[in-house]
Structures are given as structure tokens and as C-alpha cells.
């Protein structure tokens, strides 16, 4: 059992500041002394030296207004009512020590904590007493600036500085409260996101309640608690000595939930004991802690403390919470008690009794016990801890594993199946087995699988979220599965879901997730990728140096996924490339992978060269090249604006390609993906080609999942949908093309940061396609038309294709080809570059027949003697005679070449 890596600092004796909303941070040596010196310097500034107050209760009087202002800032910057802990958490005491009227000893206990309310608000608090309001605001900004370097406070400090740098246009001589209102209303969304207290007490309460409910729901998933959300909120109010339910909660929680709180408040109040509530809550948090939910525990504690601070401060700002029984200190003690390194002493009974045979046989043979699991999962401590706990218990396994593909979900299910040793191998079923079935058949299959596995076989459902969210049978199958778990209490079940799968299941059936122990896999860190690479080398019989393995881990962590090549599948991919090169270099010596063998970049798309140059070298398409150049220039300009600190709105990059067949639409889409990859817009830049058949299913419930899977393959690159207008042109009643469009529109918006969708087709048909769905036209703001090639351009294309295949054109060939093109009909079905490829294939076939016939004929003239082989020039030359025959009637082109 191990604490998450980013929290391990809490187990040390280092100087640590732990703002719960940020995480523990090691205070650099000398930083606080440097900031204290900055404070003294500003207090001695000629602008501030005469500004003092005799009313501050904690500072030596007369106190500098600058020092008083900073005292308020230090209480406010961690957050209104937020938990601030750690051995160096006493910020005002450490930074303003010599200014305090009654300084006490500084604590170095790691479990120390407080939750200041922080009523300071921009632009000024104590500095309001300065006679020059403009100078006071300037000094307040300088106070914020000199606090630079305290990392847990930096995001909020920088957000407030942006507010000072762009103040509202208002009379600065207004009373303090009115001046604050102007400043708060002027703050942009990015500032309010970092400093939600600027929303005002009611807005901040709403923000706190959202975080509190989310963390409570997460914790009850891993450590169920026998109480409703409403009871939980009431008990939080009661432990904070609240006499009533604040009416502001009607805004923060909604009128229905507020009404229920009012209705139940008096009943809960009669039997409430704060001490007993604290003990129950402490036990609950410990259960969640050992289940691997340390971050969720800290999130709940932080939000619960803010909640108390806000409701006690209403109708004003949050203040230091009082009369609270929230077990923050106990949780911090429990965290160190459970996870800190411990001395171990061998109990002599372990050796005395180990040699004697157990009365009831081996542990594996005794009923009610299971062998301990020896997990080989990499980089998944939460899942490993849950597997270990489940295999030690005696209850039936009900486990839901959620996470990205390729992070070990199936490996975890297989390891659990081996550890349970139920007598039969696990039975696997997937969401595809239920797709398209009639509901009675699907239910019958689910019942049969459950009956067959009950008691002596692990049932694994791979893709439960896909089954449950199927628009046809999903809701009914979710209800049936919930019923089966009650009917078969001895059924062992593991369900696998994609990332966020538990939420999708909850949307369909809110009760079903509560039947499972939920755990999640995570993407691998650099260390995790390094271990996977080391195992991949071992599997190939090759050794790697420590530096090489570390370099591979760092490389793989930075490599963007492409389609199904992601997460754990990247390490074997890299190992195959590296090992092949190392074996070739080593010869008969032992192959050893060294750091120099690890490439600087792993290009899993296998695309080399400069795509911009390749686009420039394409024949014709001048208008297309110009449009792409504008897109590239816009991306460069946006990056320059961002680097200059200017606000940018990422554009919608989805686009429409119109034009006849063979005009280069697919080729340009492939180059566009690679261009955006080089610019950092797309993570992999690969191309996924699709048509109606890839999107539209044959029966109800198949289209949306099929569309989702296609989009998931394209994430990181370009999804190119050719003849997209066919999605709306089916004459069949009840066609599912519109369902595919609706799903596509939603997914395009969900993945707009790392996906470009290009739809292509004839110009008129694509205009009708965009008009078929209200959301389509706005999702495709850029339309690029691909004109037909001219005769000269087509002849150039023919020559390029021939050269790429190793052929040369004899004199006179181009003139004959030009005569053929003049006779070709230029309708919508004209093939352009595709026509040139078809004609080249015919010419190559004719040339092969000519060369072979000439060789055979020469042999017959010599009485059967072996003929001389054709010369190299004859083998690679295409003549006018090899071209297809000139046709008198243009319509014959359609049947032969187009």
C-alpha cells in the first residue's frame, strides 16, 4: 500500500506548505527570508513609510498599512476557507514575524493546519485609509507582486495581477465595498476561474457546493456511506453550529434540494452529536484512504471546510470557520500513521508455526480464504491495491475497471481470474455480442452467462458502458444486470469500461454503479513506460542499460498516441525498432541497448519529409495551396499572439473539400494532417479514410457506436469522409444517416482540440449536405474547392505517375495523350488524376505485352534459339502505341477509362 507519488512529501520532515487545492510543496531554502526582506523594503518605500494604522489587532502598532494589506492577502490567497497545512503553513507568522505584536513559537509539525477565511478583496483593504487612492491601489499591486515564488499561491496571485493590469473604468474614490463590486464585475472568466470568491458569497457558495458534491459522490463510490447527500449536507451544517439552513443554498443547490434540507433539518438536529459525527467521518475517510482515494479525501475536506466558512460568513464573505468538527487533523495523522515508513520486527511465531503443518491444511485449501495475488501491473497502484484487497476477502467480486484503452484493464481482469482460482477459466463477453440483437435474445444470453458462471467462474464483461448506453437495448440490459447481481449473490463479475464509463452507466442506471467496487487505470508516467520498455526488451532476449531504459520511458511519455497504438502498446513498438537496429550492429556479440540507440522522436505515423514542400510540389491546385497557406499562417500568428500573452480563441479547423473525383482531395487531406502535426495542432497527424459504410449501421443502435469508434481511431489526426452527402441522400424510410451526422457533430465538438474532420464530395451535393443538419454548416466554416485539372496538368500528372513506377515516355507520347484528353467528356464523373492512373495501368499492360511478344518473335526467327533479352531502355519506355486507342465516340470513355 503506497501513497500517490505527489503526496509522499507529506511523509517527510521537509519544510512543506500544503495548500490542499494545490498539493504539498517543498519550500525552497531562503525563499521566505527573501520575501520578508521584500516586505520590509516596500514598507520602507517613500510612498508607504508614512501610511500606518492603530487598529490592527495582530501587528505591532502603529502598523504599516502595507504590512496590514499583506497580512490580509496571505489569508486570502490560499482560498476562502481553504485548508492550508504542512510544517511551514504559518505564512503570516513566518513572513511577518518581526511585525507581530505577540509572536508565538513557529510550529514545524507536518500535521499542523488552518483554514483562514480571508476577507481581503481587490483592489485594497487596509490601504483604503491612504489619502491618495490611486497610490494605494498601486501599492496593493506591489504587495501582490512581491509575494512571487510561493508556488501554491501563484495561479491566484497572477490572476489578481491581471485584474490590476486591466482595471475597470470607474471612480476610484468610491466607498470600499462599491469599488470592490466594480472590480469583481470587471474580472474576466479566466480570473474568476482562479479566484471564484470574486463571484460574491452566493456565487462562491455555488462553486463550493459543486466541488463538495462531486468529491462526496466519488468517495461514496470507493467507500459507501449509509446516508443521502441531503443528510450529509445537513450534518455539515450542524457540526458547524448552524441554527438553520441558509436560504442562499436555494441558489447553490436548487430549490428542490433546498426544500428537502429545510424539511429534514429539524429531525436531524434532534439526534445529532458532533463528536460521534466526527468519528464516523474519520472512519469513512480512512476507508477511502486505503482504497487509494487520498486525493478525493483531501478534496472533500477542503470543500467541506470552505462550505462551513461560507455559510457561517453569510450574508458576508467567508470567515475563519468556527465550532467545526471536520477531522482534518485526524486525517493528516491517519495518513502518516498508515503510509509513513515503519520499523518491522519479526514475530517469532511466524517461524515457529511456519514449520509445523497447519491443522486445517494450506491457506489455499481452507474454505473462505484465497491466495494472495502477485500482480504484474505496471504503473497502476490504485488497481493493484484493489486487486490485492479483493483477493484477500471472502465476498463475491464485483469490480468495475475504468480507464483508457491499453492501460492494463484486461491484464487486471486476467490476473484476478487466476488469483480467484474458481476452477474454470474466466468467461469473457463483449459489447459486440449484444449489438443488433432483439431484446429477448440479448436478455436470454445475459441470463445464461450469469447462470453458467455463478459460483465457480469469473464473468468478465468487456465494454459494459457500450452495452448499457446502446440506444436500443441498453437501459433494459442495465436493469437486467442489476437484477442478476441480486439473484446470483455468488456471481463473480468484472466489468471493463472506457475512461468515464462509470458516468455513462450512471446516466442510464444510477443504481448499477453502486453494485461495483470502482477503480480506474491511468495513463503511464515516464517511469511506467520505462518499465514496460524493459519488459519488452526482456521478451526479445535483449538487455538495456539503465540510461537507455530511462530515455525510452521519457520518449514514450511524450509520444502522442495514434489510433490503437497507444499507452502500453507503444513500448513493444519502440522495442521492435530499437532491437532490430541493435542486433544488426552487434553481429555475434551480445546485443545491448544503449542510450544512443533510443531515437530522439518516435514517429508512429511513419511519415517522413516536409509536407509543406510536398504540397507545393503537387501539380496544379494553386487555389488549394493558397488556402492551406492561409491556414498555416493563421496557426503561426495564433502561436505568436499566445506567446505574447494575448488572448486567443482556437478556431474550428474542420473543413469541406468540394470537387470532382481525382482532383487530389484525399492526398491534400493526408498532407494537411502531417502539416498540422508539425505545427503542434494535432498530436499524431494520421489520416483515417471513411465513407457512409463506416458510419451507418444496418439496424437500430449500431450507428452511434460505429461512428464513435471511427472518430476514436481518428483522434490526433484527420478524419476524411468521402462522398459525405450520401449520409443524407438515402431514399429509404428510417435511414440512419442522420443519426450518424448527429453523433458526428457532437464528437467533433468534444474533440475539437485534437481532431480535424474533412468532408468531401461534389460541390452541389455538399451544399445540400451542409443544409441537412442545423449544426453542420457552423461546424465546417472553411470550404476549399478543388478544380478539375487542365490538359497540361493531366499530362504532367501522367508523367509523374509513370516516373514513380520507373517508366519513361517516348517522344510523341504526350501529343497522343493530349489528343485523347481533348475528346474526353468533362462531366461530373471525369476522373482527373484517377483517369491518368487508369490510362497508365493500361499503357503499362500494353507495353509488357509488346516487349514480351517481341522477345518471343525474335526467338522464332532464329529457329527456336534463345532470344536476346530486351534492353533496359526498351523495358522502361512507354510509347504512343502503348496508350489506349483513340476513341471516336466520347461516351466510350465512361465504360473503358472513367
Amino acid at each position: 500500500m503506497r501513497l500517490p507519488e505527489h503526496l509522499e512529501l507529506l511523509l517527510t520532515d521537509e519544510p512543506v506548505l500544503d495548500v490542499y487545492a494545490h498539493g504539498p510543496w517543498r519550500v525552497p531554502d531562503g525563499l521566505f527570508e527573501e520575501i520578508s526582506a521584500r516586505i520590509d523594503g516596500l514598507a520602507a518605500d517613500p510612498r508607504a513609510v508614512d501610511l500606518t494604522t492603530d487598529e490592527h489587532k495582530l501587528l505591532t502598532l502603529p502598523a504599516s498599512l502595507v504590512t496590514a494589506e499583506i497580512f490580509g492577502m496571505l489569508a486570502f490567497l490560499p482560498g476562502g476557507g481553504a485548508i492550508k497545512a504542512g510544517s511551514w503553513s504559518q505564512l503570516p507568522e513566518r513572513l511577518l514575524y518581526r511585525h507581530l505584536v505577540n509572536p508565538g513559537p513557529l510550529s514545524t509539525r507536518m500535521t499542523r493546519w488552518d483554514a483562514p477565511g480571508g476577507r481581503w478583496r481587490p483592489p485594497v483593504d487596509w490601504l483604503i485609509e491612504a489619502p491618495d487612492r490611486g497610490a494605494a491601489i498601486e501599492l496593493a499591486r506591489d504587495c501582490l507582486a512581491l509575494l512571487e515564488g510561493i508556488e501554491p499561491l501563484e495561479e491566484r496571485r497572477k490572476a489578481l495581477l491581471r485584474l490590476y493590469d486591466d482595471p475597470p473604468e470607474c471612480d476610484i474614490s468610491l466607498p470600499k465595498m462599491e469599488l470592490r463590486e466594480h472590480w469583481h464585475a470587471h474580472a474576466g472568466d479566466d480570473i474568476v476561474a482562479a479566484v471564484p470568491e470574486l463571484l460574491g458569497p452566493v456565487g462562491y457558495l455555488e462553486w463550493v457546493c459543486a466541488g463538495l458534491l462531486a468529491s462526496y459522490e466519488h468517495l461514496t463510490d470507493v467507500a459507501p456511506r449509509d446516508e443521502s447527500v441531503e443528510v450529509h449536507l445537513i450534518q455539515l451544517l450542524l457540526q458547524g453550529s448552524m441554527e438553520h439552513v441558509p436560504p442562499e443554498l436555494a441558489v447553490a443547490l436548487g430549490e428542490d434540494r433546498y426544500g428537502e434540507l429545510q424539511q429534514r433539518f429539524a429531525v436531524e438536529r434532534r439526534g445529532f452529536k458532533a463528536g460521534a459525527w466526527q468519528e464516523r467521518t474519520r472512519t469513512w475517510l480512512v476507508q477511502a484512504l486505503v482504497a487509494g482515494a487520498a486525493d478525493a479525501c483531501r478534496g472533500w475536506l477542503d470543500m467541506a471546510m470552505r462550505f462551513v466558512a461560507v455559510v457561517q460568513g453569510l450574508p458576508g464573505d467567508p470567515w475563519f470557520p468556527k465550532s467545526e468538527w471536520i477531522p482534518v487533523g485526524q486525517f493528516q495523522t491517519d495518513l502518516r500513521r498508515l503510509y509513513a515508513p515503519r520499523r518491522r520486527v519479526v514475530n517469532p511465531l511466524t517461524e515457529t508455526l511456519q514449520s509445523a503443518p497447519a491443522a486445517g491444511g494450506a491457506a489455499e485449501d481452507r474454505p473462505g480464504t484465497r491466495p494472495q495475488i502477485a500482480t504484474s501491473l505496471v504503473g497502476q497502484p490504485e488497481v493493484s491495491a484493489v486487486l490485492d484487497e479483493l483477493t484477500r476477502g471472502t465476498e463475491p467480486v464485483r469490480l468495475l475497471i475504468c480507464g483508457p484503452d491499453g492501460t492494463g484493464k484486461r491484464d487486471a481482469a486476467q490476473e484476478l481470474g487466476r488469483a480467484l482460482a474458481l476452477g474454470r477459466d474466466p468467461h469473457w463477453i463483449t459489447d459486440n455480442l449484444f449489438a443488433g440483437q432483439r431484446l429477448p435474445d440479448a436478455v436470454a444470453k445475459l441470463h445464461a452467462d450469469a447462470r453458467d458462471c455463478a459460483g465457480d467462474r469469473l464473468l468478465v464483461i468487456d465494454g459494459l458502458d457500450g452495452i448499457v448506453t446502446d440506444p436500443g437495448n441498453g437501459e433494459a440490459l442495465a436493469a437486467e444486470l442489476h437484477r442478476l447481481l441480486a439473484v446470483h449473490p455468488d456471481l463473480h463479475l468484472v466489468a471493463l469500461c472506457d475512461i468515464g464509463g462509470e458516468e455513462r452507466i450512471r446516466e442510464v442506471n444510477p443504481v448499477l454503479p453502486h453494485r461495483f467496487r470502482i477503480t480506474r487505470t491511468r495513463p503511464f508516467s515516464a517511469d511506467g513506460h520505462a518499465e514496460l520498455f524493459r519488459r519488452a526488451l526482456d521478451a526479445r532476449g535483449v538487455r538495456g542499460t539503465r540510461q537507455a531504459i530511462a530515455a525510452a520511458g521519457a520518449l514514450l511519455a511524450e509520444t502522442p498516441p495514434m489510433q490503437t497504438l497507444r499507452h502500453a502498446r507503444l513500448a513493444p513498438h519502440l522495442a521492435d525498432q530499437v532491437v532490430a537496429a541493435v542486433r544488426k550492429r552487434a553481429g555475434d556479440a551480445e546485443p545491448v541497448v544503449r542510450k544512443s540507440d533510443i531515437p530522439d522522436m518516435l514517429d508512429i505515423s511513419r511519415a517522413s519529409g516536409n509536407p509543406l514542400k510536398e504540397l507545393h510540389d503537387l501539380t496544379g491546385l494553386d487555389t488549394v495551396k493558397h488556402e492551406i497557406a492561409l491556414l498555416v499562417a493563421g496557426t503561426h500568428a495564433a502561436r505568436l499572439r499566445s506567446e505574447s500573452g494575448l488572448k486567443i480563441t482556437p478556431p474550428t479547423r474542420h473543413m469541406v473539400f468540394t470537387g470532382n473525383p481525382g482532383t487530389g482531395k484525399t492526398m491534400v487531406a493526408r498532407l494537411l494532417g502531417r502539416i498540422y502535426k508539425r505545427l503542434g495542432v494535432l498530436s499524431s497527424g494520421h489520416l483515417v479514410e471513411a465513407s457512409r459504410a463506416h458510419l451507418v449501421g444496418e439496424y437500430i443502435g449500431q450507428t452511434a457506436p460505429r461512428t464513435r469508434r471511427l472518430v476514436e481511431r481518428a483522434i490526433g489526426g484527420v478524419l476524411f469522409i468521402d462522398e459525405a452527402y450520401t449520409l443524407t441522400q438515402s431514399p429509404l424510410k428510417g435511414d440512419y444517416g442522420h443519426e450518424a451526422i448527429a453523433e458526428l457533430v457532437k464528437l467533433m465538438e468534444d474533440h475539437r482540440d485534437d481532431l480535424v474532420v474533412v468532408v468531401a464530395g461534389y460541390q452541389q451535393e455538399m451544399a445540400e449536405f451542409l443544409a441537412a443538419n442545423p449544426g453542420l454548416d457552423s461546424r465546417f466554416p472553411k470550404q476549399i474547392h478543388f478544380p478539375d485539372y487542365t490538359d497540361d496538368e493531366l499530362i504532367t500528372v501522367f508523367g509523374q505517375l509513370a516516373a514513380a513506377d520507373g517508366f519513361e515516355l517516348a517522344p510523341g507520347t504526350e501529343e497522343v495523350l493530349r489528343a485523347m484528353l481533348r475528346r474526353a467528356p468533362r462531366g461530373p464523373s471525369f476522373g482527373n488524376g484517377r483517369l491518368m492512373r487508369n490510362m497508365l495501368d493500361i499503357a503499362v499492360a500494353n507495353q509488357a505485352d509488346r516487349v514480351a511478344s517481341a522477345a518471343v518473335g525474335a526467338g522464332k526467327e532464329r529457329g527456336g534459339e534463345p532470344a536476346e533479352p530486351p534492353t533496359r531502355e526498351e523495358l522502361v519506355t512507354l510509347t504512343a502505341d502503348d496508350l489506349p486507342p483513340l476513341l471516336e465516340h466520347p461516351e466510350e470513355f465512361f465504360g473503358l477509362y472513367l
Side-chain angles (χ1 to χ4, degrees), residues 315-396:
D317 294 326
W319 195 231
F320 291 84
K322 57 186 178 180
S323 302
E324 49 78 25
W325 290 78
I326 299 174
V328 181
Q330 294 91 326
F331 170 79
Q332 296 185 151
T333 300
D334 290 335
L335 185 144
R336 291 176 65 88
R337 178 172 60 86
L338 291 171
Y339 289 100
R342 295 184 299 277
R343 297 172 59 186
R344 299 182 184 274
V345 178
V346 177
N347 189 314
L349 287 176
T350 60
E351 297 182 358
T352 304
L353 299 181
Q354 191 173 20
S355 59
E364 291 84 350
D365 300 328
R366 293 196 299 272
T369 63
R370 296 171 182 160
Q372 183 176 353
I373 189 169
T375 179
S376 61
L377 295 179
V378 174
Q380 305 298 344
E382 177 184 338
V383 178
S384 298
V386 170
L387 295 184
D388 180 69
E389 181 182 341
L390 291 176
T391 53
R392 292 174 183 272
T394 58
E395 296 297 318

Side-chain angles (χ1 to χ4, degrees), residues 439-459:
L439 180 59
D441 295 336
V443 170
K445 173 174 175 48
L446 191 61
H447 273 264
D449 289 330
R451 282 196 308 270
D452 178 64
C453 295
D456 65 347
R457 194 176 193 183
L458 176 65
L459 176 61

Side-chain angles (χ1 to χ4, degrees), residues 799 801-809 840 844 847-848 874-878:
L801 293 173
D805 289 350
F807 292 96
E808 301 171 357
L809 301 183
L840 176 64
V844 170
Q847 190 256 17
E874 292 174 331
L875 290 173
V876 300
T877 300
L878 297 176

Side-chain angles (χ1 to χ4, degrees), residues 19-40:
V19 177
Y20 271 29
H22 175 275
W25 173 68
R26 203 273 187 194
V27 180
D29 296 337
L31 175 64
F32 279 11
E33 291 80 1
E34 178 186 340
I35 295 176
S36 295
R38 296 179 204 161
I39 295 173
D40 292 342

Side-chain angles (χ1 to χ4, degrees), residues 509-525:
N509 190 316
V511 181
L512 185 56
H514 291 290
R515 287 285 190 174
F516 292 91
R517 173 72 176 275
I518 300 176
T519 187
R520 297 166 183 83
T521 59
R522 312 287 182 186
F524 297 102
S525 63

Side-chain angles (χ1 to χ4, degrees), residues 204-457:
Y204 184 47
L205 177 62
E206 185 175 14
W207 182 88
V208 169
C209 286
L212 176 64
L213 296 179
S215 57
Y216 179 74
E217 182 178 358
H218 181 90
L219 284 180
T220 52
D221 282 342
V222 298
R225 194 170 187 179
D226 188 19
E227 65 181 22
S228 67
V229 173
E230 290 74 20
V231 170
H232 180 71
L233 292 172
I234 291 173
Q235 291 178 343
L236 268 177
L237 293 171
L238 292 173
Q239 65 80 36
S241 302
M242 296 296 294
E243 300 291 332
H244 64 282
V245 180
E248 290 85 352
L249 284 174
V251 178
L253 298 172
E255 294 182 5
D256 292 342
R257 179 163 279 171
Y258 170 70
E260 190 165 350
L261 293 180
Q262 280 191 310
Q263 184 178 354
R264 303 190 62 167
F265 187 82
V267 176
E268 294 294 329
R269 185 179 182 183
R270 283 197 293 269
F272 181 77
K273 302 291 184 183
W277 180 87
Q278 183 187 57
E279 287 304 312
R280 291 196 307 272
T281 303
R282 178 181 184 179
T283 301
W284 173 57
L285 291 173
V286 170
Q287 291 172 346
L289 188 61
V290 299
D295 286 319
C297 292
R298 288 163 55 89
W300 178 85
L301 286 167
D302 190 43
M303 289 299 127
M305 192 62 66
R306 294 179 194 239
F307 178 78
V308 173
V310 178
V311 296
Q312 288 181 345
L314 291 171
D317 294 326
W319 195 231
F320 291 84
K322 57 186 178 180
S323 302
E324 49 78 25
W325 290 78
I326 299 174
V328 181
Q330 294 91 326
F331 170 79
Q332 296 185 151
T333 300
D334 290 335
L335 185 144
R336 291 176 65 88
R337 178 172 60 86
L338 291 171
Y339 289 100
R342 295 184 299 277
R343 297 172 59 186
R344 299 182 184 274
V345 178
V346 177
N347 189 314
L349 287 176
T350 60
E351 297 182 358
T352 304
L353 299 181
Q354 191 173 20
S355 59
E364 291 84 350
D365 300 328
R366 293 196 299 272
T369 63
R370 296 171 182 160
Q372 183 176 353
I373 189 169
T375 179
S376 61
L377 295 179
V378 174
Q380 305 298 344
E382 177 184 338
V383 178
S384 298
V386 170
L387 295 184
D388 180 69
E389 181 182 341
L390 291 176
T391 53
R392 292 174 183 272
T394 58
E395 296 297 318
V397 171
R398 306 285 172 81
L399 179 63
L400 180 64
I401 307 177
C402 305
D405 198 24
T407 52
K409 294 179 293 184
R410 294 175 183 87
D411 291 340
Q414 290 171 339
E415 290 189 356
L416 183 59
R418 287 192 293 268
L420 293 175
L422 295 174
R424 291 195 291 165
D425 292 337
H427 177 57
W428 289 71
I429 57 178
T430 67
D431 52 349
N432 288 330
L433 296 175
F434 293 90
Q437 287 198 17
R438 296 187 311 112
L439 180 59
D441 295 336
V443 170
K445 173 174 175 48
L446 191 61
H447 273 264
D449 289 330
R451 282 196 308 270
D452 178 64
C453 295
D456 65 347
R457 194 176 193 183

